[in-house]
Amino acid sequence: MSEELFQQAVGLVQSGRLGEAGRLLTDLLAVAPGHVEAARLAVKLRLLDGSATAADLEQLAADHPDHGEIGFEAGVGWLQADNQRQAITCFRRHLQHFPDHPGTLFNLAWALRRQGADSEAEALLRRLLTVAPGHAAGWFNLGTLLADHGAHADAATAFETSLRCGFDAKPAMIGLALATLRQGRVDAAEAMLGALSPAVRHEAPVLALRAEIAVARGDDRGGLILYDQATAQAPDQLPLRLGRLRLQRRLGQAQAVFDETVAELDRPQAAVGLLLELCAAAQVLRRLDIAEAAARRAVDLAADDPTAINALAKSLAMRGSNAEAAACFRMALALAPDNAALHSNLIHAMVHDESGSPSQLFAEAQNFGRYWEGRLSPMSPPPPLPDDDRRMVRIGYVSADFCDHAVAYLIEPLLRRHDRQRFHVTCYHVARRSDHVTDRLRGLVPRWRTLPCDSDDFAAMAATIRADGIDILVDLSGHTAGNVLPMFALRPAPVQVSAIGYPGTTGLGRMDYRLVYGGSPKGGDDPAFSSETLVPFPAFLPFQAPAAAVPVGPPPVLERGYVTFAALNKFAKASVGARRAWARILAALPTARLVVLAPPSQAAVIRAGFVADGAGAEQVEVIEELALDGWLALMEEIDIALDSFPYRGGTTAMMSDWRGVPLVALLPEGQGKDDDRRLYCRDEDEYVATAVALASDLDQLVERRAELPLIARLDEGANADLAIRALERLFREIWSTYLEGRSRA
C-alpha cells in the first residue's frame, strides 16, 4: 500500500500538483516513517515552498548514509543556498560512501574552485573523467582551470574533448581559442573566432576574445575598448572584469585599477581575483601597505591558492622582508610545483635574504634545474651543416626586458655593433612589456620573434628557435621576471649561455656557460655554486646611457652647504650591514642628508632603523622609487651615491658615472678593484671612512663631478668596439669548442 501511495505522489509531482503530492507524502510517512524515497521527495518539495532548508536534506542523508543520491542532493541544496562551505562538507561526506559518484565529483570540484582550492578541484575533475570519460561539462571545467593556471596546451586539449562530448559549442570554442592564443598561435585563434556565428560577435565573451586577439596583435588600446564593451554588457562577469583590469595595468592605468578595486578590502564576500588585481596595482603604485593587506585577505579567503600566496610573497619582498617572502614563495611552490615563475621568485628572494647561505641558494637553483630537466627531455641535436666552422654564427638573444629596462642599456650597443658579416642575430622578446625602446631595438636586428609572456608551452617556443637554426642561444633574464628558463631544458640550440640579466646560476645543467662580470652576491661567481661553466666577460660591455647629452651641473653642496648622499638602488635591496654603514656615515656628518628610494608609507619604520644605528631621523629622506626621468633629475640633486651590498648596483653605477656622481661601493670578498672611476672599499669601516672623507673634500667633489662624465664618454667611445669584438671572439671560441666536441663524438 505504501509503495502505491508513493507512486501516486510521484504522478502528482509530474503533473505539477505539488501541494496534493506533499499532503499525500505526509500521510504516507505517518504510517510508513521508514520509507526513504517518500521522505526524500517530501523534503525536496518543502525546499521548493521554503518550508525546509538544505539542512533537512543533509540530516536525511546522515540518517541514510548508504543512499546513493541524498548526500549529493544535500550538497546541491547548499549550493543553491549559496553556502559553498557547507556544500563542500556534504559532498566530501557523500564521497566517503560513493567515491565515484559523477555528480558529487563534479559539483565538489566546482565548489572548491570557488573557494580557490584549485589543486584539489583539478584532482577531482581528473577522477571524474576517469569514471565518466564522456562528461562534457567536466572536460570544459578542467579546461578553464588549466587555462587559469597557464597550462594552455592541456587546456586546449580539454576544450577540444568537451566539444567532441557535446558541450555547448560557443563557450567551448571561446575557451579553445583563448588557450590557442595563449600558446602564441594568434592566426589559429582568430580563425576559431571566425568560425563562430556572426550573430554572437558582439556578445560579451566574444568581445573579450576579440580584445585578447587585439592585444596579441599589439593593439592594447583597441583591446581595452573591446573589454570596456564586454564589461558594459556583463558587469557581473568576473573573468571579463579581471581581463579589463589586467589590461588597464599593462597600459599604465594602475591608479584606475586601484580606485576600482580598493573597496574589496571592506567587503565580507570579496572576490579573490579582484583582491589580487588590487594587490598588483598597489605594488605598481608602491602602496605596499594596501598591497600586503589585499594579498593577506586573498590568502585568508583562498588559503591554498598559490597565486594569492605568491602575491603576498611579492609584497613582502618589495618591502625588504626577504626571509618571510622566501618562506611564502616556498609555500606557494609546494602547491604548484610546475609553476616555473613561482620557483624563480623564490630563488630571486633568496639572493636578497641575508639569513641564507650561498650553498642554500645553489641547492634551490639545482632543485629548479632538476625539476625541469627531469620533466622536459632535450631535443635531438640539429644535423650538421657544411662549413660549420666558417659560416656565420647564428646568435639568439632571449629576454623579457627588450624595453625601457636596465638590460636594454647594455644590449642595445651590442645589437648596434654586431659584425653582420660573421654573426646573424635574432632577438626573442618575451612580450611582458613593449614600448618605444622595443620598437627601436627591433629595428637593429635582421630577425625579431615574439614569444608569449604567459604561456607554459615551452615546446612550442623551443620549436620556433630550432626552426630558426640558432647556434648559440643567450638568456638575458636568469631568474628575473618574465624568464622562460624551462625552455632551455629542451635545448633548442646546441650551445646555451646565460648572461647580463641575473647575478647567479640558473641551476640548469643544460645551460652550458654563464658570462660573469665579477662581484655577484651569494657566491654567484664561484664555480662551486654554478651549474654552468663560468666564463669572465672579456671586457665590459658598452653602456647606452639615457639623456647623456644633458649637461652636468656643479655638486649641490656648493649651494646648500651640506652634502646630500643617495642610495640609488631600491631600499629593499640593502642589507642590514649596508643600512648600518649608511647610519654611521650620517652620524659622522650631522649636517649631511641621505635620500633612500622606498614607499613613503615605510618612512617611519626606515627612519626608526637609522635612529637606532645612531643617525638623526631628520637626516633621512624617503622618496618614491622613480621612473627614469625622475631618477635622472634626482642625480642633479645629490653629491655622492652609496652603493648597496652585498647586492651591488649595476645600471645605477654606470648611470652615476655619466651624471658625474661619485659612487662609494663595497667590494665582495676576494674581488679586486675593477674600475678606477668608483671608490671601492675592502670592508665596512673603509666604506664609511671613504664616504666621510669624500664629503669633507669639496675640491675632489667638484673635480669628480666634471671628470666622471668625460671619462665615461671616452671609455664608451674607445672601448665599445673593443669590448664587442672581444665578446664576439668568445662566441666564436665556444662555438668552435662545440664543433670540435661533436666531431670527436
Side-chain angles (χ1 to χ4, degrees):
M1 177 66 70
S2 61
E3 190 59 33
E4 290 179 10
L5 291 173
F6 177 69
Q7 292 303 326
Q8 289 178 33
V10 171
L12 291 170
V13 170
Q14 291 172 341
S15 63
R17 297 156 65 186
L18 304 185
E20 292 179 51
R23 288 189 291 274
L24 183 58
L25 289 169
T26 299
D27 294 340
L28 169 57
L29 290 170
V31 297
H35 196 297
V36 179
E37 292 302 325
R40 174 188 174 200
L41 183 56
V43 173
K44 291 166 74 173
L45 288 175
R46 289 171 56 214
L47 283 172
L48 292 175
D49 66 19
S51 61
T53 68
D56 296 294
L57 202 54
E58 184 177 5
Q59 181 59 54
L60 187 63
D63 293 339
H64 302 281
D66 295 331
H67 192 285
E69 297 298 326
I70 301 176
F72 161 66
E73 291 169 347
V76 172
W78 284 119
L79 285 182
Q80 291 170 341
D82 200 27
N83 190 330
Q84 293 170 12
R85 292 187 183 278
Q86 194 60 36
I88 288 169
T89 299
C90 280
F91 288 137
R92 288 193 198 284
R93 189 182 298 123
H94 192 241
L95 283 181
Q96 291 175 2
H97 300 280
F98 302 94
D100 292 335
H101 190 284
T104 304
L105 289 168
F106 178 82
N107 282 278
L108 177 55
W110 186 94
L112 288 168
R113 278 274 276 156
R114 298 312 178 272
Q115 296 292 311
D118 283 7
S119 297
E120 186 180 357
E122 181 180 351
L124 288 164
L125 286 170
R126 292 192 182 280
R127 189 164 133 201
L128 163 66
L129 295 170
T130 300
V131 173
H135 199 295
W139 282 110
F140 178 80
N141 281 13
L142 179 61
T144 61
L145 186 152
L146 293 170
D148 286 349
H149 289 272
H152 301 299
D154 291 340
T157 299
F159 287 129
E160 288 173 337
T161 308
S162 77
L163 283 166
R164 286 198 299 272
C165 293
F167 195 73
D168 186 352
K170 184 174 69 175
M173 185 64 77
I174 290 172
L176 176 58
L178 280 171
T180 303
L181 183 65
R182 293 289 187 267
Q183 296 172 70
R185 297 163 56 203
V186 184
D187 291 341
E190 197 156 33
M192 293 174 189
L193 172 63
L196 292 170
S197 166
V200 304
R201 285 187 61 83
H202 295 285
E203 293 183 6
V206 182
L207 286 168
L209 173 58
R210 291 170 57 194
E212 292 292 330
I213 291 173
V215 170
R217 297 285 190 204
D219 184 10
D220 287 356
R221 298 197 176 279
L224 185 56
I225 291 170
L226 288 164
Y227 257 127
D228 285 339
Q229 294 173 4
T231 52
Q233 270 192 44
D236 296 330
Q237 287 193 19
L238 186 60
L240 303 185
R241 190 175 172 195
L242 291 175
R244 176 175 57 79
L245 291 168
R246 280 192 289 269
L247 187 50
Q248 282 182 289
R249 273 197 295 113
R250 177 168 168 162
L251 286 167
Q253 300 175 20
Q255 187 64 56
V257 174
F258 182 93
D259 293 342
E260 181 174 336
T261 56
V262 70
E264 290 297 309
L265 280 177
D266 299 323
R267 288 195 178 127
Q269 298 296 324
V272 171
L274 293 177
L275 287 168
L276 295 180
E277 281 304 309
L278 171 61
C279 176
Q283 287 172 353
V284 172
L285 298 170
R286 296 301 187 264
R287 295 287 304 275
L288 297 189
D289 52 340
I290 299 295
E292 185 175 339
R296 289 193 184 280
R297 183 79 195 288
V299 171
D300 287 342
L301 293 169
D304 62 351
D305 184 349
T307 307
I309 301 170
N310 179 55
L312 174 58
K314 288 174 69 175
S315 298
L316 293 169
M318 289 179 72
R319 66 172 173 82
S321 299
N322 292 300
E324 191 179 356
C328 283
F329 282 132
R330 197 177 296 281
M331 188 187 311
L333 185 64
L335 294 167
D338 58 347
N339 189 319
L342 253 179
H343 208 162
S344 285
N345 286 346
L346 167 61
I347 293 167
H348 199 262
M350 292 177 70
V351 172
H352 295 87
D353 177 15
E354 293 180 81
S355 64
S357 67
S359 59
Q360 290 171 323
L361 175 63
F362 181 46
E364 194 57 61
Q366 287 182 304
N367 288 342
F368 178 94
R370 278 193 293 267
Y371 181 88
W372 287 105
E373 290 179 337
R375 183 170 176 175
L376 301 174
S377 299
M379 305 170 79
S380 57
L385 296 173
D387 299 325
D388 256 355
D389 59 343
R390 292 189 295 275
R391 66 168 170 78
M392 284 201 305
V393 175
R394 292 162 296 198
I395 305 284
Y397 294 105
V398 183
S399 180
D401 300 319
F402 290 136
C403 55
D404 192 2
H405 185 278
V407 166
Y409 301 140
L410 292 167
I411 198 68
E412 182 169 348
L414 178 61
L415 298 181
R416 285 186 184 280
R417 290 181 165 95
H418 252 314
D419 185 341
R420 302 298 177 90
Q421 303 303 312
R422 305 181 68 199
F423 295 89
H424 183 279
V425 175
T426 304
C427 285
Y428 297 94
H429 180 36
V430 183
R432 182 170 61 103
R433 191 181 78 186
S434 299
D435 53 31
H436 64 287
V437 176
T438 310
D439 295 337
R440 188 168 71 236
L441 296 179
R442 186 185 290 112
L444 299 179
V445 294
R447 187 163 55 197
W448 184 278
R449 304 283 195 209
T450 299
L451 302 179
C453 64
D454 56 357
S455 172
D456 66 347
D457 194 350
F458 302 115
M461 298 180 197
T464 297
I465 292 167
R466 173 57 61 85
D468 287 339
I470 298 299
D471 300 317
I472 302 175
L473 190 65
V474 185
D475 171 59
L476 302 175
S477 294
H479 284 288
T480 60
N483 78 76
V484 289
L485 284 178
M487 181 194 68
F488 286 79
L490 290 159
R491 195 177 275 285
V495 178
Q496 303 191 143
V497 180
S498 174
I500 298 179
Y502 175 73
T505 183
T506 63
L508 292 167
R510 294 172 196 156
M511 190 73 76
D512 303 296
Y513 300 96
R514 183 158 56 88
L515 306 188
V516 294
Y517 278 114
S520 297
K522 291 286 180 75
D525 294 346
D526 187 336
F529 302 125
S530 180
S531 299
E532 309 88 354
T533 298
L534 298 185
V535 180
F537 264 96
F540 283 113
L541 286 177
F543 176 70
Q544 180 74 40
V550 176
V552 175
V557 64
L558 299 181
E559 180 178 342
R560 293 174 178 163
Y562 60 86
V563 168
T564 303
F565 293 95
L568 296 175
N569 297 308
K570 296 176 182 178
F571 190 72
K573 287 186 176 182
S575 64
V576 171
R579 298 178 190 188
R580 181 179 58 240
W582 298 342
R584 290 175 60 191
I585 293 167
L586 294 178
L589 300 165
T591 63
R593 299 290 184 270
L594 171 66
V595 176
V596 298
L597 304 179
S601 60
Q602 295 182 254
V605 173
I606 290 171
R607 290 194 180 97
F610 277 96
V611 170
D613 286 329
E618 74 285 352
Q619 291 182 274
V620 180
E621 181 183 0
V622 180
I623 66 172
E624 290 276 10
E625 294 170 25
L626 299 166
L628 178 60
D629 289 346
W631 196 92
L632 292 171
L634 173 64
M635 299 290 277
E636 298 302 306
E637 301 297 320
I638 63 175
D639 299 291
I640 302 169
L642 299 175
D643 204 7
S644 56
F645 58 82
Y647 200 104
R648 296 196 297 171
T651 309
T652 52
M654 295 178 186
M655 287 202 285
S656 295
D657 295 338
W658 281 89
R659 304 309 301 153
V661 178
L663 177 75
V664 180
L666 187 67
L667 281 172
E669 186 175 350
Q671 180 67 41
K673 295 187 177 184
D674 53 5
D675 194 327
D676 291 335
R677 287 176 287 179
R678 282 88 187 244
L679 297 164
Y680 285 122
C681 308
R682 301 290 181 185
D683 54 35
E684 184 182 319
D685 288 341
E686 184 183 351
Y687 181 100
V688 172
T690 299
V692 172
L694 179 59
S696 305
D697 189 342
L698 295 186
D699 290 340
Q700 186 179 174
L701 280 176
V702 171
E703 182 178 327
R704 283 183 171 273
R705 191 78 164 198
E707 286 183 350
L708 282 173
L710 295 174
I711 294 171
R713 285 188 180 84
L714 288 171
D715 283 354
E716 198 277 339
N719 297 332
D721 284 333
L722 178 66
I724 290 171
R725 297 294 87 81
L727 182 63
E728 289 177 336
R729 284 196 297 273
L730 175 60
F731 282 151
R732 297 290 309 193
E733 288 169 9
I734 62 177
W735 180 240
S736 295
T737 299
Y738 164 76
L739 293 176
E740 290 169 8
R742 189 177 67 177
S743 177
R744 287 195 298 271

